[in-house]
Each structure stands twice: as structure tokens, then as C-alpha cells.
């Protein structure tokens, strides 16, 4: 019997890509290939990480490459490649640049990894997940975006800190698009089953919801030259683990909707069961009137961005 480790390819070896590689290797999720267009950089980062193996005790291979053919036969492809927004660049310019990068990468990857699952991180993530779904023609269970796991971990961090309990006991999810209109759910947020309203006033909760919505911007304002990468990388590794170890985790995942929540033909974050079959099930929650309205605002934003794509899909 041949036993093979899963193969995880990370396209884009920048801050988030390399941090994701770190978390994936540390969790021994599989052999990792880091791909980037910058010569030498993915090779250098991969070798450096590989050399940490004896200390950390992970028995996985980590290698870097500038040749996409080295990603052949991947079980999972994670796309973090993209351009940051540069001064003078409009949001539409950025969308158009990242659209081309992601579209080309997914088409080339599919040729060498026809059976892979795809996770998109590059922003705007809801739109680019939609792009991958459309241009690949893959069924929706194999294409997803990472946003909700990150937004939810930020929400959980702030709740745990404010309540003064372990992060392990705080369960909470954020739905919708990955923008300031995202929807951190309050009615379902709990501390080991106890509603957060038992611990926090409405004002405190409102402030935490607002901070969660602006969580990405808070980090950008502090870093000044880049955006978050530790928590985004951890979020990607959590999704990778759910799939590669068939954990059947219940996570907020950017998903192509086919009528759920009254929505179709777009991708936004909803709770799903994530396991060996990828998105195995979409969980349709009953939403309060307030959350339903908030979700609609977020969905309208995502639809407006889809309309700005340089090509009709
Ligand atoms: N193929 C492969 N890699 C590419 C390509 C391409 N066509 N185009 C750009 N890249 C690489 C860059 O060389 C860079 O190493 O993508 C990497 C992006 O890394 P960073 O600039 O460090 O960005 P990071 O902070 O990791 O964020 C990645 O996530 O938050 C989103 O939209 C944001 O696009 C950004 C992405």
C-alpha cells in the first residue's frame, strides 16, 4: 500500500503565503510547495522553513519554485498571489490586476492539478472566489474563499478579551462579504453555550462588532506598509486541515450560493460543513431581521464589485 502525504501548493509566497506555509508545516498537514513569480524568493523561504523541521519535529517537505509545474498533483491549491494597492491605484485597477493574476493561476493550476480543491485569499476575496468558480467550471464544493474564518477569529479574540474567558470557549461567526459591511452574528455568539449578552452590555457588543468589521483596516493602519498575515495564514491552515483531515468543521467560508439565503450566482461567507469533500453542506441559519438586512447590504457591495470585473463571466 502506498501512503502519500497530501500536497498543498501555495501560489504567492508573500507575507500571507509564507505564513500559511509555516502553519501548514507546523501542523504536518502535508508537503508544501510555495510558488511565486519573484525568482529565488519562494525557494529561499521554503528552504528556511524546511530547515526548522528538525527543531519543530515536522516530517513534511517544503520546497519553493518559480515553475507552476512543480505544483502538479496537488490536493489543495491556496491562492494568495496578488498585488497590494499602490498609491494612485483605484479599487477597480486593483480588481482588474488581481483578476488577471488569479484567473491565469487557476487555469494553469487546473491543468496540472485537475483534482485539487481551491482556496482563494487574494482580495477582493468574494469577487475573486467567484472568478475562480466561474473560470474553472468546477463544482462549488471544490472552490472556496477565506474571509469568514479570519473575521470570526478576530471577533472571537475581542469577545474573549472583553469577557475575560479563554478563546477556546468563545464561539462566534461572521457572515457576508469581506468588507466593512460584514455581519458578525450576535444572537449565535456564545461562551460554551451561554449567550454573550449574559456577559456584555449592548454597547460593548456593538463596539466589538464595529471593531471586527474594521479589523483588517486596524492592522493596515498600524503596519502602514502591508496588511495582516498571521491570522489570515492561520485561517487558511484551519481550512486546509478541515479538508485534508476530513474534520467536518463548521466554519464561515466564502461559498458560491445556489439559492441558499435567497441568493444565487455570487460568493459570500456563510456557515458550511468543511471536510474531505470540501464544502459538504451549506448551513442555512435563521437570521434576525437586523442581520438579514445587514447581509443584504454586504451582498449588494459584492454584486457591485462583480459588475466592475473587466470581463463578463
Ligand atoms: N504569480 C505568483 N505570485 C504572484 C503573482 C503571480 N502572477 N503576482 C504576484 N505574486 C506574488 C508577489 O510576488 C508576492 O510575493 O504574490 C505575493 C503577494 O504577497 P504580499 O505582497 O506579501 O501580500 P500578502 O500580504 O501576502 O497578501 C496577499 O492577500 O490580503 C490579500 O489582496 C491581498 O493580494 C493580497 C494577498
Amino acid at each position: 500500500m502506498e501512503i502519500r502525504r497530501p500536497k498543498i501548493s501555495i501560489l504567492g509566497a508573500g507575507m500571507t503565503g509564507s505564513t500559511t506555509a509555516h502553519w501548514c508545516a507546523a501542523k504536518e498537514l502535508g508537503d508544501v510547495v510555495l510558488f511565486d513569480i519573484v525568482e529565488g524568493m519562494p525557494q529561499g523561504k521554503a528552504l528556511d522553513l524546511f530547515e526548522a523541521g528538525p527543531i519543530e519535529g515536522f516530517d513534511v517537505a517544503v520546497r519553493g519554485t518559480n515553475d507552476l509545474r512543480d505544483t502538479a498533483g496537488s490536493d489543495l491549491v491556496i491562492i494568495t498571489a496578488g498585488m497590494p494597492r499602490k498609491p494612485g491605484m483605484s479599487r477597480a485597477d486593483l480588481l482588474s490586476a488581481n483578476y488577471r493574476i488569479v484567473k491565469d493561476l487557476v487555469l494553469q493550476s487546473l491543468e496540472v492539478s485537475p483534482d485539487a480543491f481551491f482556496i482563494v485569499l487574494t482580495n477582493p476575496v468574494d469577487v475573486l472566489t467567484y472568478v475562480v468558480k466561474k473560470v474553472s467550471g468546477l463544482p462549488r464544493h471544490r472552490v472556496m474563499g477565506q474571509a469568514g474564518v479570519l473575521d470570526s477569529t478576530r471577533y472571537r479574540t475581542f469577545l474573549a478579551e472583553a469577557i475575560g474567558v479563554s478563546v477556546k470557549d468563545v464561539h462566534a461567526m461572521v457572515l457576508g462579504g469581506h468588507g466593512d459591511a460584514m455581519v458578525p452574528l450576535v444572537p449565535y455568539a456564545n461562551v460554551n453555550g451561554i449567550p454573550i449578552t449574559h456577559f456584555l452590555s449592548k454597547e460593548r457588543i456593538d463596539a466589538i462588532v464595529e471593531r471586527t468589521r474594521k479589523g483588517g483596516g486596524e492592522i493596515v493602519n498600524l503596519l502602514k506598509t502591508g496588511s495582516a498575515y498571521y491570522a489570515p495564514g492561520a485561517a487558511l491552515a484551519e481550512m486546509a486541515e478541515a479538508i485534508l483531515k476530513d474534520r467536518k468543521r463548521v466554519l464561515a467560508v466564502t461559498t458560491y450560493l445556489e439559492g441558499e439565503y435567497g441568493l444565487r450566482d455570487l460568493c459570500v461567507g456563510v456557515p458550511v460543513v468543511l471536510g474531505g469533500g470540501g464544502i459538504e453542506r451549506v448551513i442555512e441559519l435563521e437570521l434576525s431581521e437586523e442581520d438579514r438586512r445587514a447581509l443584504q447590504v454586504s451582498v449588494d457591495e459584492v454584486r457591485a464589485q462583480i459588475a466592475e470585473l473587466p470581463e463578463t463571466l
Side-chain angles (χ1 to χ4, degrees), residues 2 11 21 42 51 94 97 103 137 141 158 169 211 223 225 234 275 286 309:
E2 190 208 358
L11 313 185
E51 289 167 356
L94 180 72
K103 180 181 168 185
H141 67 272
F158 304 148
D169 291 324
R211 188 175 177 196
L223 293 179
T225 54
E286 262 181 51
L309 281 170

Side-chain angles (χ1 to χ4, degrees), residues 158 180 184 204-215:
F158 304 148
D180 292 355
R204 293 285 306 274
I205 294 172
D206 285 350
I208 289 172
V209 163
E210 203 44 31
R211 188 175 177 196
T212 302
R213 288 192 164 134
K214 305 214 164 110

Side-chain angles (χ1 to χ4, degrees), residues 14-16 35-38 41 80-83 101 105 121-123:
M15 297 307 289
T16 310
F35 165 83
D36 204 285
I37 41 170
V38 178
M41 183 269 274
T80 69
M83 301 248 289
I101 292 172
L105 283 176
L121 172 106
T122 310
N123 276 317

Side-chain angles (χ1 to χ4, degrees), residues 100-167:
R100 291 196 195 286
I101 292 172
V102 168
K103 180 181 168 185
D104 289 351
L105 283 176
V106 74
L107 290 176
Q108 290 167 30
S109 293
L110 260 182
E111 276 176 32
V112 294
S113 299
D115 300 322
F117 290 97
F118 286 82
I119 308 180
V120 182
L121 172 106
T122 310
N123 276 317
V125 65
D126 307 281
V127 184
L128 293 177
T129 305
Y130 177 82
V131 167
V132 172
K133 167 76 181 80
K134 287 296 198 177
V135 304
S136 69
L138 289 174
R140 70 123 172 233
H141 67 272
R142 282 180 52 195
V143 177
M144 64 206 85
Q146 189 299 117
V149 177
L150 169 62
D151 298 327
S152 302
T153 193
R154 286 184 174 142
Y155 188 28
R156 293 165 62 201
T157 303
F158 304 148
L159 286 171
E161 193 181 32
I163 300 170
V165 294
S166 166
V167 290

Side-chain angles (χ1 to χ4, degrees), residues 12 18 23 36 55 59 85 87 99 111 122 133 151 162 170 182 184 191 203 208 213 216 221 223 232 251 255 276 301:
S18 54
W23 292 115
D36 204 285
I55 298 172
D59 280 307
R85 189 155 160 184
Y99 167 75
E111 276 176 32
T122 310
K133 167 76 181 80
D151 298 327
V170 175
M182 68 178 73
V191 180
E203 292 67 36
I208 289 172
R213 288 192 164 134
N221 288 338
L223 293 179
L251 299 171
T255 304
E301 275 187 6

Side-chain angles (χ1 to χ4, degrees), residues 287-303:
L287 297 181
S288 67
E289 197 41 45
E290 190 183 343
D291 287 337
R292 188 163 284 285
R293 268 201 305 272
L295 182 62
Q296 191 56 51
V297 172
S298 180
V299 162
D300 290 345
E301 275 187 6
V302 174
R303 282 215 198 276

Side-chain angles (χ1 to χ4, degrees), residues 174-236:
V174 178
L175 308 191
H178 187 51
D180 292 355
M182 68 178 73
V183 189
L185 294 178
V186 174
Y188 290 102
N190 69 82
V191 180
N192 234 345
I194 308 163
I196 55 168
T197 46
H198 179 82
F199 302 96
L200 299 173
S201 66
K202 181 166 183 332
E203 292 67 36
R204 293 285 306 274
I205 294 172
D206 285 350
I208 289 172
V209 163
E210 203 44 31
R211 188 175 177 196
T212 302
R213 288 192 164 134
K214 305 214 164 110
E218 183 175 359
I219 307 268
V220 169
N221 288 338
L222 291 165
L223 293 179
K224 295 192 179 64
T225 54
S227 49
Y229 49 94
Y230 287 117
L236 283 167

